[in-house]
């Protein structure tokens, strides 16, 4: 795997956080009886003055860099001409996954969206008539608004976008055997593009937004190892910072500094998947994070750096179950019965921040996918109840952000608006959810947990203590 830098000095290097002495994983158990059971050489883009109007964001220096042709990776980069945003449709096609990515601070979001262009009658539009382009949402103002970021040609549906804290949007495109990386930003009536470089590998996937807001990371997975790349925020374009043994996936940040990254790792020779922690401040040192049972698949889905609450998926109870624990706690992992729905898949996507020393009081938002579509669940570890709540029509399912006060913001788009958010206050666990349902949404009550069970009589499967430092690298 190789990387080709296009633009130097596009962003300042991230300052390293304070060293973390020790962090320990939870001990597992169950709260139920019986365990409840590429080689192109893209030319350097010439810096040009941005178009009149909105200035380029900090770090872009007002430059609009060229972009290589999708089908010709060896072609010289051309200057980006101010494009005309495609006409927005009243109904959009199914979006790629992940469809909507929000920055760690909740200020911006980005997605690929599709518009069906107007074509003359009796003519067949190219690519089925679908024109994909990036779109940035601003969520921290008095009213949300979206800014389309189209270029001179539509994007591939398989491209990935990632918002940064300064309002720019990172986009990863596939060009032959290479993956090109660029920063997009509004530039007057058009879109500015700053090329960062290219990485030659089979697959390259962007990790969730870093908490520092300026760095972006990606994984390139091979047969026996996984490359960890810094693709934005460095001094010299994309840079491979580590070669991790095994096949790694997922990606959850464990701290606010963007130093501790949790990944789900499968050994190179095959075996159970275990969550590991990668310390970027210690040369990407890898240490074990979760091991509920020797042969179980233990994945980390979500983490709250403030309270230490962890949301886990594991088959240690005998089949895949959602569980929770606390980072650094000696208490066992629990697998609540209320999160086990026989006819739906339940996936957590947001945790209420700011609950210092109170992980059991954190509200967790969950996406519930069933035969009738997607709906919203709200749950707290202390409450042992799953509230199933109405959602706005056109909700971008699986996306949302909590405030410290327990208000959940859900982005949606429908036939009347292309950019809107709905605010939902987490209901108390002792009473049903109150309030009117949004238009087009059915009324839903809340589903209590299972009947009160007697104390478990079996000994839970122990989890070994796993400090993040002072351990040797896994092989």
């Amino acid at each position: 795997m190789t990387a080709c830098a296009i633009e130097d000095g596009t962003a300042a290097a991230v300052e390293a956080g304070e060293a973390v002495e020790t962090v320990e994983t939870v001990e597992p158990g169950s709260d139920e009886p019986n365990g409840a059971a590429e080689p192109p050489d893209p030319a350097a883009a010439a810096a040009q003055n941005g178009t009149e109007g909105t200035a380029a964001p900090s770090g872009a220096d007002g430059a609009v860099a060229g972009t290589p042709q999708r089908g010709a990776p060896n072609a010289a980069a051309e200057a980006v001409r101010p494009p005309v945003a495609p006409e927005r449709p009243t109904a959009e096609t199914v979006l790629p996954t992940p469809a909507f990515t929000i920055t760690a601070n909740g200020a911006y979001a980005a997605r690929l969206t599709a518009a069906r262009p107007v074509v003359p009658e009796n003519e067949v539009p190219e690519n089925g008539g679908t024109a994909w382009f990036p779109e940035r949402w601003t969520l921290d103002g008095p009213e949300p608004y979206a800014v389309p970021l189209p270029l001179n040609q539509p994007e591939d549906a398989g491209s990935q976008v990632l918002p940064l804290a300064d309002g720019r949007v990172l986009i990863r495109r596939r060009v032959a055997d290479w993956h090109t990386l660029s920063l997009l930003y509004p530039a007057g009536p058009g879109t500015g593009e700053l090329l960062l470089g290219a990485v030659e590998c089979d697959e390259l996937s962007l990790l969730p937004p870093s908490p520092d807001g300026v760095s972006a990371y990606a994984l390139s997975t091979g047969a026996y190892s996984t490359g960890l790349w810094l693709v934005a925020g460095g001094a010299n374009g994309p840079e491979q910072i580590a070669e991790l043994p095994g096949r790694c996936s997922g990606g959850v940040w464990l701290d606010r500094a963007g130093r501790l990254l949790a990944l789900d790792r499968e050994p190179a020779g095959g075996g159970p998947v275990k969550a590991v922690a990668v310390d970027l401040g210690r040369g990407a040192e890898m240490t074990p994070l979760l091991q509920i049972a020797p042969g179980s698949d233990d994945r980390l889905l979500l983490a709250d750096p403030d309270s230490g609450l962890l949301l886990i998926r594991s088959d240690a109870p005998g089949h895949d179950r959602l569980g929770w624990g606390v980072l650094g706690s000696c208490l066992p992992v629990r697998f609540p019965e209320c999160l086990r729905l026989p006819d739906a898949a339940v996936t957590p996507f947001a945790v209420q921040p700011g609950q210092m020393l109170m992980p059991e009081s954190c509200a967790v938002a969950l996406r519930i996918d069933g035969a009738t579509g997607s709906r919203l669940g709200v749950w707290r570890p202390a409450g042992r109840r799953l509230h199933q709540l109405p959602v706005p029509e056109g909700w971008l399912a699986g996306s949302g952000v909590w405030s410290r006060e327990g208000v959940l913001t859900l982005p949606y788009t429908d036939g009347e608006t292309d950019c809107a958010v709905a605010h939902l206050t987490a209901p108390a666990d002792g009473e049903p959810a109150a309030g009117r349902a949004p238009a087009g949404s059915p009324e839903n009550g809340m589903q209590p947990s299972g009947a009160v069970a007697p104390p478990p009589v079996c000994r839970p499967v122990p989890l070994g203590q796993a400090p993040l430092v002072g351990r040797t690298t896994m092989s």
Side-chain angles (χ1 to χ4, degrees), residues 229-333:
W229 293 78
L230 175 65
V231 295
N236 299 303
E239 174 189 1
Q240 184 172 353
I241 59 177
E243 185 77 18
L244 306 175
R247 298 177 58 86
C248 297
S249 59
V252 177
W253 293 99
L254 300 176
D255 66 336
R256 294 290 183 193
R259 171 175 172 173
L260 297 177
L261 173 66
L263 298 171
D264 299 327
R265 173 184 178 271
E266 179 185 359
V273 178
K274 303 292 182 183
V276 297
V278 178
D279 190 341
L280 302 181
R282 294 172 63 94
E285 181 182 43
M286 179 189 291
T287 52
L289 182 63
L290 285 175
Q291 182 171 314
I292 300 179
S296 61
D297 290 332
D298 308 320
R299 294 177 169 89
L300 183 62
L301 304 181
L302 214 56
D304 174 48
D306 296 332
S307 64
L309 179 65
L310 304 178
L311 278 301
I312 299 159
R313 186 180 299 279
S314 174
D315 59 3
H319 50 275
D320 271 344
R321 294 286 301 274
L322 275 181
W324 69 279
V326 180
L327 194 66
S329 172
C330 294
L331 297 176
V333 171

Side-chain angles (χ1 to χ4, degrees), residues 101-103 108-110 136-137 161-165 167-170 209-210 213:
T101 304
I102 304 176
T103 56
Y108 293 101
R136 189 200 71 191
W137 288 36
V161 292
L162 192 79
L164 302 182
R168 293 181 294 179
V169 174
L170 175 69
S210 172

Side-chain angles (χ1 to χ4, degrees), residues 401-416:
V401 60
W402 285 102
S403 71
R404 293 175 176 264
E405 295 73 27
V407 176
L408 179 63
T409 297
L410 300 175
Y412 70 93
T413 176
D414 56 23
E416 298 181 358

Side-chain angles (χ1 to χ4, degrees), residues 2-5 38-42 73-74 172-180 197-202 204:
T2 58
C4 178
E38 290 173 62
D41 183 16
N74 289 319
R172 176 202 60 79
R173 305 181 179 102
R174 182 68 180 259
V175 181
D177 294 332
W178 289 70
H179 297 265
T180 63
V199 176
E200 183 185 23
C201 61
D202 292 335
L204 187 73

